[in-house]
Amino acid sequence: MSGAGLVRGFEVVIGLETHAQLSTASKIFSGASTTFGAAPNTQACAVDLALPGTLPVLNRGAVERAIRFGLAVGAKVAPLSIFARKNYFYPDLPKGYQISQYEIPVVQGGHVEFVLDGAPRKVRLTRAHLEEDAGKSLHEDYHGQTGIDLNRAGTPLLEIVSEPDMRSSAEAVAYARALHALVVWLGICDGNMQEGSFRCDANVSVRKPGAVLGTRREIKNLNSFRFLQQAIDFEVQWQIDRIEDGLAIEQATVLFDPDSGETRAMRTKEDAHDYRYFPDPDLPPLMIAPEWIASVRATMPELPAAMSARLQQADGLPPDAASMMTQSRPFARFYEAVRDGCDQPRLAANWLMGEVSKRLNAQGRSIESAPVSPQQLGELIRRVVDGTVSNNGARQVFDLLWAAGRIQGEALTESFVDRAIEDLGLKQMNDSGALETIVDAVIAANEKSVAEFRAGKDKAFNALVGQVMKASQGKANPAQAGALLRSKLG
Ligand code: ADP
Ligand code: MG
């Protein structure tokens, strides 16, 4: 179920709440480290443990990252926002409340743009607020008991809340991918989903077209795009089954089980008033002066959407190619270096979408560790354009470059391209004298095909070109060979 059409006569409505872990070295209200993977409870200080007498101190870097995000999505960055206590009991929450923002969040409004099935889409944001993460309960390896690890307690999060603007699981995934790419591009989140740095809660409801919004169920903590899609697809079918059975949907919080592919009710959904939110008396209102916003604005990188538009305009790339080239900053940098090396934007983009991406995906690599350098690829493309090597030959050269770079552990120099073309015997024959000799010999040796061609049979002409290619051991340029044959026979 991907497109935005109806599902069994129902319209699907989705809003996402996304937690992006902000990439600060220390926690949002304490100086403890946020490095992932430390031994349990070695990175939890007195503030994180909620020892009496400790007070939170706001991390400026976390606020700076929230401002950066707000500017990137065209939101209002609030000059004054308020930290609030969200009260609930859980063993991994020693304070008995989570510090979050409630009525007045730091980022208000804005939108995220992306491309779905070739069409531009826009999802509105409600808000994005700063909050602290909770600790972690460890149920495995504790012999029937539960361990508590408070290393994560106090890790800075930006919770990004969308409007219920999405109409299919595919659209929700496209939005989540665009948001992920954006926070990584901005350098405010490392985007590592396995480590939980970027996770989504999906609010899902269904309705008959034109009806008021249906009751939603919220699927918690989806930390992969595949799970996000599977969980929504399952949930939609479940809700429609229930409605068709004449039953009501109850607002609930559910969990997705990746093993069964099913969602399961965890608890009936609490309402905001259950949390007894109130302003945190330990933290003054967060004031953001216009000068601070201006100084962050001054350091903003060109954004992926703007760069994509530029590549369409200046490089003549189609929209999907431009959005592929801007999937990450390293990818965009690689593309621009290849393009600069060959002055052929479309060919550069085609190589990146084809041969390069194919190998990166198969080997689970990112572009930063590509064993072929952008200068080499640029050089290779130049050699295709100037007729030194055919497209087919270039792919063989590319294979060799990739393999050699892998063995060496780094990309080889550009001059290696010409040597590889020579060594593989792929240099096309550009010496017209030599080509002419071959063409004459082929014409002399294939009287039958020549006669057939003169009688108007195209097939016979192709056979002659084939003979020239064979006689040249594949080194003739087929277009050149064809032209020469035609001029001699015509
Ligand atoms: P909370 O989940 O914290 O109680 P909200 O009411 O603000 O908060 O809603 C959270 C998310 O649920 C938002 O992303 C919003 O777009 C989405 N949402 C609200 N109503 C619906 C609905 N009927 N169907 C699907 N998503 C919804
Ligand atoms: Mg929610």
Side-chain angles (χ1 to χ4, degrees):
M1 187 189 337
S2 45
L6 300 185
V7 179
R8 294 160 60 189
F10 285 84
E11 184 182 42
V12 176
V13 175
I14 304 161
L16 293 190
E17 293 163 280
T18 305
H19 289 92
Q21 181 179 322
L22 297 175
S23 57
T24 54
S26 59
K27 294 186 177 173
I28 184 167
F29 300 118
S30 82
S33 165
T34 54
T35 310
F36 181 83
N41 300 310
T42 55
Q43 291 181 171
C45 71
V47 174
D48 308 325
L49 296 174
L51 296 187
T54 57
L55 285 171
V57 177
L58 181 58
N59 182 336
R60 199 182 159 84
V63 179
E64 201 253 15
R65 285 164 176 77
I67 297 173
R68 191 167 285 272
F69 178 78
L71 293 176
V73 296
K76 172 182 173 194
V77 177
L80 181 152
S81 61
I82 304 284
F83 286 99
R85 293 186 177 181
K86 179 179 182 180
N87 299 282
Y88 64 94
F89 170 81
Y90 208 76
D92 61 23
L93 187 74
K95 288 202 298 293
Y97 59 87
Q98 176 194 25
I99 303 177
S100 182
Q101 295 190 304
Y102 180 54
E103 275 165 317
I104 310 180
V106 61
V107 172
Q108 303 171 5
H111 58 266
V112 173
E113 286 170 294
F114 53 93
V115 176
L116 177 64
D117 296 333
R121 296 282 311 154
K122 189 172 186 171
V123 166
R124 292 167 301 155
L125 298 182
T126 315
R127 59 191 275 157
H129 59 257
L130 284 163
E131 64 181 27
E132 60 178 345
D133 208 344
K136 225 182 351 229
S137 298
L138 308 168
H139 303 293
E140 280 153 42
D141 307 328
Y142 284 85
H143 313 285
Q145 299 185 313
T146 293
I148 302 287
D149 177 7
L150 293 172
N151 282 353
R152 215 180 56 186
T155 296
L157 302 177
L158 189 66
E159 178 173 338
I160 303 154
V161 182
S162 86
E163 291 288 304
D165 280 355
M166 289 153 274
R167 293 293 174 269
S168 68
S169 58
E171 189 175 13
V173 169
Y175 160 80
R177 282 188 183 279
L179 188 60
H180 180 263
L182 181 64
V183 295
V184 174
W185 186 286
L186 292 171
I188 64 173
C189 171
D190 69 18
N192 190 324
M193 296 179 79
Q194 273 101 43
E195 294 178 3
S197 299
F198 186 92
R199 40 194 211 262
C200 295
D201 302 340
N203 293 270
V204 180
S205 66
V206 299
R207 64 174 170 187
K208 286 289 182 185
V212 293
L213 284 182
T215 303
R216 73 190 149 109
R217 304 212 312 162
E218 177 175 357
I219 314 165
K220 279 285 183 198
N221 265 330
L222 297 161
N223 69 345
S224 89
F225 297 121
R226 197 161 51 90
F227 292 165
L228 177 61
Q229 175 130 24
Q230 287 176 354
I232 294 171
D233 286 343
F234 178 86
E235 180 62 26
V236 166
Q237 298 293 341
W238 186 91
Q239 290 188 16
I240 294 174
D241 283 347
R242 224 180 131 80
I243 292 170
E244 288 187 341
D245 286 346
L247 299 167
I249 304 294
E250 278 174 60
Q251 184 162 311
T253 301
V254 307
L255 284 181
F256 175 66
D257 176 1
D259 294 328
S260 66
E262 300 184 356
T263 52
R264 206 162 9 86
M266 181 162 78
R267 54 177 191 247
T268 57
K269 168 99 178 119
E270 47 297 287
D271 288 312
H273 63 246
D274 297 327
Y275 287 113
R276 295 292 187 270
Y277 279 99
F278 65 88
D280 193 317
D282 289 343
L283 286 158
L286 170 58
M287 313 280 279
I288 299 176
E291 294 74 36
W292 192 3
I293 298 175
S295 78
V296 174
R297 198 190 294 281
T299 65
M300 290 286 280
E302 182 184 26
L303 297 178
M307 183 169 185
S308 171
R310 174 165 65 80
L311 297 185
Q312 292 176 50
Q313 277 257 311
D315 289 5
L317 297 188
D320 54 342
S323 89
M324 279 278 290
M325 294 311 106
T326 51
Q327 60 185 269
S328 73
R329 279 166 93 177
F331 205 94
R333 260 198 301 275
F334 197 101
Y335 160 76
E336 292 204 301
V338 176
R339 177 205 60 200
D340 292 346
C342 64
D343 222 10
Q344 299 284 337
R346 274 173 176 261
L347 289 180
N350 285 343
W351 272 86
L352 277 169
M353 289 191 286
E355 301 301 315
V356 175
S357 292
K358 193 169 82 191
R359 287 171 179 78
L360 292 178
N361 294 340
Q363 295 167 14
R365 283 169 182 268
S366 64
I367 193 82
E368 293 100 310
S369 70
V372 172
S373 72
Q375 290 72 24
Q376 278 184 325
L377 180 52
E379 183 69 12
L380 182 56
I381 293 172
R382 279 181 6 137
R383 291 292 172 243
V384 174
V385 173
D386 73 13
T388 305
V389 66
S390 68
N391 265 317
N392 248 328
R395 274 196 286 278
Q396 293 177 52
V397 173
F398 192 72
D399 264 337
L400 178 72
L401 296 176
W402 192 279
R406 276 181 83 175
I407 291 166
Q408 176 164 299
E410 62 180 284
L412 301 145
T413 60
E414 297 151 68
S415 64
F416 197 79
V417 171
D418 279 332
R419 247 181 52 211
I421 294 172
E422 292 276 359
D423 290 354
L424 290 171
L426 291 168
K427 196 162 169 157
Q428 293 194 117
M429 191 176 289
N430 286 320
D431 170 354
S432 54
L435 182 60
E436 191 164 357
T437 311
I438 292 177
V439 168
D440 288 340
V442 165
I443 289 173
N446 294 277
E447 279 172 29
K448 192 162 157 261
S449 297
V450 170
E452 283 174 3
F453 168 71
R454 292 209 162 109
K457 283 194 188 164
D458 276 353
K459 250 199 197 142
F461 182 73
N462 293 339
L464 289 168
V465 174
Q467 288 298 321
V468 174
M469 294 307 293
K470 194 169 156 200
S472 72
Q473 294 168 316
K475 289 176 195 168
N477 178 318
Q480 247 175 17
L484 197 55
L485 269 168
R486 259 183 218 287
S487 77
K488 294 211 172 239
L489 297 174

